Amino acid sequence: MLATPSLFLEYEDVLKRPEQRQVSGLALDDVDDLLGELAALVEPVEVHLLWRPQLRDPDDEMVLEAAINGRADALVTYNMRDFGDAAPRFGLRLARPADVLREL
């Protein structure tokens, strides 16, 4: 798993939103613990080049940049429609999470 600093901060922002915590049932301390564990697993990626804009949703650009700069084997997402044109332009295989789990 790859993440740029800005993408990881986005994960933190989303996970700490009240509506997300209500669904997950996690307290802020639990989210911090989860993020700490996630940070230990994530390979940090520095963004050297920016190719924006490539996607309709500007918030998705961070995901694409992490995959490109981290030389990912695949961009794994449920959002196939938004990444469908851009991923192949950069030599990225686009895959759904369930497909990757089956491969493993």
Side-chain angles (χ1 to χ4, degrees):
M1 186 182 326
L2 306 171
T4 61
S6 58
L7 181 58
F8 197 85
L9 290 172
E10 176 73 8
Y11 291 159
E12 179 181 29
D13 178 60
V14 170
L15 289 172
K16 288 187 173 183
R17 291 178 186 163
E19 61 273 17
Q20 292 294 330
R21 288 191 304 106
Q22 182 178 8
V23 170
S24 69
L26 297 175
L28 283 174
D29 288 342
D30 297 328
V31 173
D32 286 336
D33 290 344
L34 175 67
L35 288 167
E37 295 294 325
L38 184 60
L41 298 172
V42 167
E43 182 178 333
V45 174
E46 287 185 42
V47 177
H48 298 287
L49 297 172
L50 299 176
W51 294 278
R52 294 183 186 196
Q54 294 291 323
L55 305 168
R56 287 185 290 173
D57 183 351
D59 291 336
D60 289 340
E61 297 285 352
M62 289 183 282
V63 176
L64 183 62
E65 287 172 355
I68 294 166
N69 284 281
R71 297 188 176 118
D73 295 323
L75 196 157
V76 182
T77 182
Y78 289 111
N79 191 355
M80 303 298 276
R81 183 182 52 146
D82 286 351
F83 288 99
D85 291 334
R89 279 198 298 266
F90 294 97
L92 289 169
R93 178 173 73 101
L94 196 57
R96 288 181 175 84
D99 298 333
V100 173
L101 288 174
R102 275 193 288 278
E103 292 172 16
L104 295 175

